[in-house]
Amino acid sequence: MTNLLEVQGASKRFGSFTALDNVSIAVPKGSIFGLLGPNGAGKTTLIRIINQITLPDEGKVFLDNEPLKKEHIQDIGYLPEERGLYKSMKVGEQALYLAQLKGLSKKEAKDRLKYWFDKFEISHWWDKKIQELSKGMAQKVQFIVTVLHRPKLLIFDEPFSGFDPINANVIKDEILQLREEGATVIFSTHRMESVEELCDHIALINKSKKILEGEVSDIKRKYKSNTFEVGLLAESENGLYDELKEKFQVVPADFKTIEEQLKLKITLDQSTSSNDLLGYLSTKAQILRFNEVIPSVNEIFIKTISENE
Amino acid sequence: MNNLKLIIQREFIARVRNRTFVVMTFLSPLIFVGMIALITWLATLNNEEVRQIAFFDETGMFTSDFKNSDNVTYINYSDLSLNDAKDSVVIKKLYGLLYIPKKGTNKELASSVQFYADDAPNISILNGIEDIIASKLTNQNFEEKGLDLNVIENSRARVNILIENFSGEKTSKMTNYVKMFFGGAAGYFLMMFIIIYGNMVMRSVIEEKANRIIEIIISSVKPLQLMMGKILGTSFAGILQFLIWVLLGSVLLFIATSVFGIEAQTPTGIDPSIALQEDHQEEIQLLLQDILKLPLGTLVMAFFVYFVGGYFLYSSIYAAIGAAVDSETDSQQFMLPIILPLMLGIYVGFFSVVENPHGTVSTVFSMIPLTSPIVMLMRIPFGVNWWEVLISILLLFGSIIFMVWLAGKIYRVGILMYGKKPSYKELYKWLKY
């Protein structure tokens, strides 16, 4: 799989403050790439470098194997976290203006806007001023303007903030649809559940350095610790607990059940397989639950960050 | 380039559609003409008032000298006692009471005449009275010394210096006033335009920052392009407004003059009592010649060049300030570097240039880019060497390039900075980002 975007060793300093320190990422074509990191880690600076808003002090950026140049602006659609629209301008005029700035002709922009406005059922907003719309409504217009020129690369910074669950879902489906149509998506957010749901690749940035990057499934495989969550029904729960503790690495677990049971997390060493554990447990108790613990992106996020502190 | 056009268009339309712009454009000429009409009307009202002045003349010498004029009538109260005269003036609400006491000598008399009035009396009326008394006393003094009044009158010389330049063309003494008027008007207008439209540029920058649309825009266009688009778009709106004003103003003035019967006034400064009637006409002719003889072509050209240059120089500073702050209230601390040179330009223009248009102060300030648009415009009617103008223009446009570059750097960083109240030190740091 080829990479649509490659950032190589990008650094950016503001005075004595280093916003970005030798960061490299590779975004595969057609992927949804999650750019994660705590507040102030340097995500926005990286995104601004990709958008040519800020120039890096060091490092190179390649889009489609070409060094980033001015014309690439038309290949990128960017929805910033800090976003707004002209308050006193009409919705339609405004969308036309922004689309034309991205290089669309007036007619083309009008046709495409009509399509999107119909799709989102907001055609009657055309002559309204932004100040008459709610925040969520304005966000829809911003989303349309971001994707209107059919860019190869879409960058969304917290795209779901300000949307109610229904509209957030509409936007999510649109993002997936755009990916189907061939766009690559970079997705910066704090909402881990949407990362879990959408992203196939992630990069984690902390304190201006990249500390993790890769395919989500690979990372999860790397971070899983051969741990299993079990729910057991035994006659003497305490006795069983002590017995297991001698054989395996065991900690009490907590999950929701309707019946009383012994809830444990059992971590196996490399020589023991899950079948071994299952076989052993089946002789001791009735197994109500048995599943492998796969770390969530959220857990990986917290773990990696605290390891790097 | 195409984007620049789009930005200019948007800025222009945004300015022109603004309600304040529409109101200002169409109301200002009305207000302006209304003010002129009001002032003229008030002035005529004032002049029509006939003031009644009572005089109490103990000497009896002046009775026949106080002649009624258009705006003053004199009433002789010399038959009453002084106190009765005072009471009577108060009761009848006359303008005042002139008291001429009897004194031994004319010298003593001259310094003991008194005028009683509740309000501070009009200076020109007092001057008139003083003249009457003074000439009477002077003539008496002459007679006492045995001089013949007729001889004195005939031997009095009236001097009116005619001014010619070395190529033999006559000019009027008004020339300097005419030059001052044209230069001053141009300089003053330039200053107003810079302040009004520079502020608009600044507000437009702040608006984009406050609306948070800025990051969306600059992911499509370069910040410098956006800044230039703003400055240009706003200036076109300003030029449109100016053209409408000129058009409306002349129409309204025409209507006003025909309706209110206000005569177009010849510039002040001619003292009608000195110039005789035929001299007066000649003066006006010379005056018109003077206006035509001004380097009008040069003036118009220079006005355009300095107008554009000055506006660009200052509005790029305004744009940088707009980018540095979050709201208009925060911008106050940065206003000084704009207002100070503008004010300085105006003051140097009205004091130094008028006094000595080619002196060191005037010359230096007509070279310094921040003041040159105003000061040079004021100097040009007095005739300035072409190379001086050239140097000044080169310096101005050089510093525009520098200032736009500087402002662009601050702008680029500032538009993405929120929640910081920047100091000059902070701005300096931004230059290096």
Side-chain angles (χ1 to χ4, degrees):
Chain A
M1 196 192 266
T2 52
N3 292 329
L4 178 73
L5 178 83
E6 271 182 49
V7 178
Q8 295 173 356
S11 296
K12 180 74 191 174
R13 276 171 291 274
F14 295 108
S16 58
F17 172 71
T18 307
L20 215 53
D21 187 5
N22 194 22
V23 170
S24 304
I25 58 166
V27 181
K29 211 168 251 176
S31 66
I32 296 185
F33 189 97
L35 190 59
L36 315 179
N39 292 325
K43 287 171 295 174
T44 306
T45 307
L46 180 60
I47 290 176
R48 283 179 182 166
I49 287 174
I50 297 169
N51 274 299
Q52 305 181 58
I53 293 171
T54 322
L55 289 177
D57 295 333
E58 288 148 34
K60 285 185 184 124
V61 184
F62 294 92
L63 189 77
D64 241 353
N65 293 321
E66 281 178 70
L68 206 59
K69 55 175 193 255
K70 203 172 156 253
E71 288 70 31
H72 282 141
I73 281 175
Q74 298 181 13
D75 296 328
I76 302 178
Y78 173 38
L79 185 67
E81 185 182 5
E82 295 281 4
R83 50 184 175 252
L85 293 164
Y86 291 111
K87 283 205 172 60
S88 51
M89 224 176 154
K90 284 177 186 165
V91 174
E93 279 176 358
Q94 183 144 216
L96 264 180
Y97 170 62
L98 294 170
Q100 280 176 279
L101 283 184
K102 282 286 187 188
L104 290 182
S105 75
K106 195 168 184 178
K107 189 180 173 308
E108 215 177 348
K110 223 174 201 166
D111 290 347
R112 290 195 198 177
L113 279 172
K114 198 179 157 346
Y115 165 80
W116 278 100
F117 273 53
D118 284 346
K119 190 172 189 180
F120 281 174
E121 294 165 357
I122 56 171
S123 299
H124 56 287
W125 293 356
W126 189 271
D127 280 327
K128 278 193 179 167
K129 284 183 178 173
I130 290 292
Q131 56 201 8
E132 298 169 47
L133 304 183
S134 73
K135 194 183 169 204
M137 290 160 131
Q139 302 255 78
K140 270 191 181 174
V141 178
Q142 284 154 357
F143 179 82
I144 292 174
V145 170
T146 311
V147 303
L148 196 72
H149 58 294
R150 294 181 192 146
K152 292 182 209 165
L153 178 63
L154 284 162
I155 303 175
F156 296 111
D157 201 346
E158 294 292 353
F160 303 122
S161 69
F163 279 120
D164 57 54
I166 294 169
N167 277 313
N169 218 38
V170 170
I171 296 297
K172 194 190 82 193
D173 289 345
E174 287 305 330
I175 293 176
L176 288 172
Q177 177 67 29
L178 287 162
R179 200 257 298 258
E180 286 304 306
E181 289 166 13
T184 306
V185 180
I186 293 179
F187 190 27
S188 167
T189 183
H190 291 123
R191 300 200 352 187
M192 291 305 160
E193 71 277 9
S194 48
V195 176
E196 199 85 54
E197 213 178 331
L198 291 170
C199 298
D200 34 38
H201 285 72
I202 55 169
L204 184 53
I205 293 175
N206 187 35
K207 292 189 175 166
S208 72
K209 287 190 172 73
K210 184 189 78 179
I211 52 176
L212 184 70
E213 185 189 3
E215 213 168 322
V216 175
S217 49
D218 285 346
I219 290 172
K220 286 198 170 182
R221 219 167 283 137
K222 211 175 102 194
Y223 273 77
K224 73 171 189 178
S225 48
N226 220 13
T227 301
F228 297 86
E229 214 167 47
V230 296
L232 301 171
L233 203 59
E235 277 160 25
S236 158
E237 290 191 351
N238 284 340
L240 182 61
Y241 181 56
D242 291 339
E243 203 174 319
L244 285 169
K245 246 165 88 176
E246 281 176 23
K247 274 193 86 112
F248 307 103
Q249 199 186 320
V250 180
V251 287
D254 188 28
F255 45 84
K256 276 188 185 140
T257 52
I258 37 174
E259 308 290 345
E260 262 315 295
Q261 52 188 266
L262 180 61
K263 302 167 184 174
L264 299 171
K265 259 188 199 167
I266 304 173
T267 308
L268 303 177
D269 50 35
Q270 292 301 319
S271 57
T272 322
S273 78
S274 55
N275 276 2
D276 296 341
L277 177 63
L278 204 53
Y280 178 80
L281 286 176
S282 64
T283 63
K284 299 287 175 189
Q286 191 185 345
I287 302 169
L288 297 176
R289 180 189 182 107
F290 188 91
N291 64 286
E292 189 181 13
V293 177
I294 296 169
S296 66
V297 175
N298 196 28
E299 282 162 341
I300 296 172
F301 180 91
I302 293 167
K303 191 162 178 245
T304 336
I305 301 258
S306 47
E307 272 170 11
N308 275 277
E309 283 301 299
Chain B
M1 249 8 232
N2 199 27
N3 279 348
L4 186 64
K5 208 178 98 193
L6 282 170
I7 298 165
I8 293 173
Q9 240 171 32
R10 197 208 80 84
E11 289 297 326
F12 177 77
I13 291 171
R15 293 302 137 255
V16 172
R17 257 201 216 150
N18 191 309
R19 212 166 292 146
T20 353
F21 180 88
V22 179
V23 172
M24 278 291 288
T25 308
F26 291 99
L27 220 55
S28 306
L30 276 176
I31 293 172
F32 187 66
V33 172
M35 287 289 279
I36 293 180
L38 186 71
I39 290 168
T40 323
W41 181 66
L42 286 178
T44 50
L45 201 69
N46 223 7
N47 284 344
E48 276 165 13
E49 193 187 335
V50 178
R51 296 193 173 90
Q52 290 183 304
I53 295 174
F55 62 90
F56 185 85
D57 180 12
E58 283 180 352
T59 62
M61 297 193 296
F62 299 98
T63 319
S64 57
D65 290 302
F66 291 118
K67 296 192 182 75
N68 292 346
S69 70
D70 279 350
N71 41 20
V72 188
T73 49
Y74 294 96
I75 306 166
N76 191 348
Y77 275 2
S78 309
D79 299 340
L80 305 172
S81 73
L82 182 57
N83 281 338
D84 284 351
K86 281 183 187 169
D87 289 344
S88 179
V89 166
V90 172
I91 289 164
K92 289 187 179 166
K93 290 188 178 142
L94 301 185
Y95 191 69
L97 176 68
L98 180 71
Y99 172 54
I100 306 170
K102 201 175 180 77
K103 291 283 171 185
T105 63
N106 278 350
K107 205 170 184 180
E108 265 180 277
L109 178 62
S111 55
S112 50
V113 176
Q114 273 178 299
F115 190 83
Y116 299 100
D118 276 340
D119 299 327
N122 186 311
I123 296 284
S124 69
I125 287 179
L126 280 190
N127 283 344
I129 294 171
E130 279 170 0
D131 281 348
I132 291 172
I133 297 171
S135 67
K136 180 87 178 181
L137 291 181
T138 311
N139 287 348
Q140 273 188 5
N141 289 342
F142 284 148
E143 276 173 358
E144 270 173 28
K145 298 267 155 57
L147 298 170
D148 187 343
L149 283 185
N150 285 328
V151 175
I152 292 172
E153 197 55 35
N154 288 336
S155 47
R156 184 163 287 167
R158 290 197 201 296
V159 181
N160 190 3
I161 298 179
L162 294 176
I163 306 169
E164 275 182 37
N165 66 12
F166 291 110
S167 31
E169 286 172 301
K170 277 189 183 175
T171 54
S172 82
K173 280 182 292 192
M174 292 298 301
T175 309
N176 276 350
Y177 289 108
V178 171
K179 288 173 176 173
M180 249 167 65
F181 177 78
F182 272 75
Y188 196 76
F189 179 73
L190 181 67
M191 182 191 79
M192 292 308 290
F193 189 88
I194 285 173
I195 291 180
I196 292 172
Y197 282 90
N199 253 307
M200 272 192 199
V201 171
M202 185 181 80
R203 236 174 287 142
S204 157
V205 174
I206 294 175
E207 187 206 359
E208 276 177 1
K209 232 184 129 172
N211 284 350
R212 313 276 160 155
I213 195 177
I214 190 74
E215 206 167 342
I216 293 180
I217 304 255
I218 57 166
S219 66
S220 311
V221 300
K222 295 261 158 247
L224 191 67
Q225 214 174 21
L226 182 60
M227 192 179 92
M228 291 311 287
K230 264 184 194 311
I231 292 174
L232 284 170
T234 307
S235 72
F236 289 145
I239 290 168
L240 177 75
Q241 186 171 51
F242 178 56
L243 289 180
I244 295 176
W245 279 350
V246 170
L247 208 74
L248 274 185
S250 29
V251 170
L252 281 173
L253 262 181
F254 178 74
I255 295 172
T257 44
S258 42
V259 171
F260 297 105
I262 301 158
E263 281 172 38
Q265 284 196 336
T266 51
T268 50
I270 299 171
D271 193 346
S273 62
I274 292 174
L276 296 171
Q277 201 55 32
E278 52 263 40
D279 287 349
H280 199 135
Q281 281 203 339
E282 199 185 342
E283 280 280 330
I284 289 174
Q285 271 178 1
L286 283 174
L287 187 73
L288 287 175
Q289 276 173 27
D290 277 343
I291 293 175
L292 291 176
K293 262 190 306 190
L294 279 181
L296 280 180
T298 320
L299 195 63
V300 169
M301 283 284 293
F303 182 74
F304 187 72
V305 171
Y306 281 105
F307 190 78
V308 170
Y311 169 75
F312 262 74
L313 187 65
Y314 278 97
S315 53
S316 54
I317 304 178
Y318 270 111
I321 295 174
V325 300
D326 282 352
S327 69
E328 222 178 317
T329 34
D330 293 343
S331 67
Q332 289 311 317
Q333 55 162 329
F334 294 114
M335 282 297 132
L336 196 67
I338 289 183
I339 301 301
L340 201 70
L342 283 177
M343 281 299 158
L344 203 63
I346 288 290
Y347 282 126
V348 167
F350 278 117
F351 293 109
S352 221
V353 172
V354 167
E355 191 66 30
N356 184 0
H358 305 306
T360 319
V361 177
S362 312
T363 312
V364 167
F365 277 95
S366 65
M367 294 293 164
I368 298 173
L370 283 171
T371 52
S372 69
I374 292 171
V375 179
M376 192 53 105
L377 272 187
M378 289 185 167
R379 276 186 73 199
I380 281 178
F382 294 95
V384 182
N385 281 334
W386 64 268
W387 56 265
E388 273 187 56
V389 180
L390 188 71
I391 291 175
S392 156
I393 288 176
L394 285 180
L395 277 175
L396 178 62
F397 280 82
S399 54
I400 288 171
I401 294 170
F402 173 71
M403 195 53 87
V404 167
W405 171 82
L406 202 72
K409 288 208 129 191
I410 293 175
Y411 183 81
R412 198 171 50 103
V413 178
I415 44 177
L416 294 172
M417 291 272 183
Y418 289 105
K420 267 191 190 173
K421 266 199 175 174
S423 55
Y424 283 108
K425 205 175 139 199
E426 188 84 12
L427 291 188
Y428 177 70
K429 271 205 287 187
W430 290 4
L431 292 180
K432 292 186 286 189
Y433 282 178

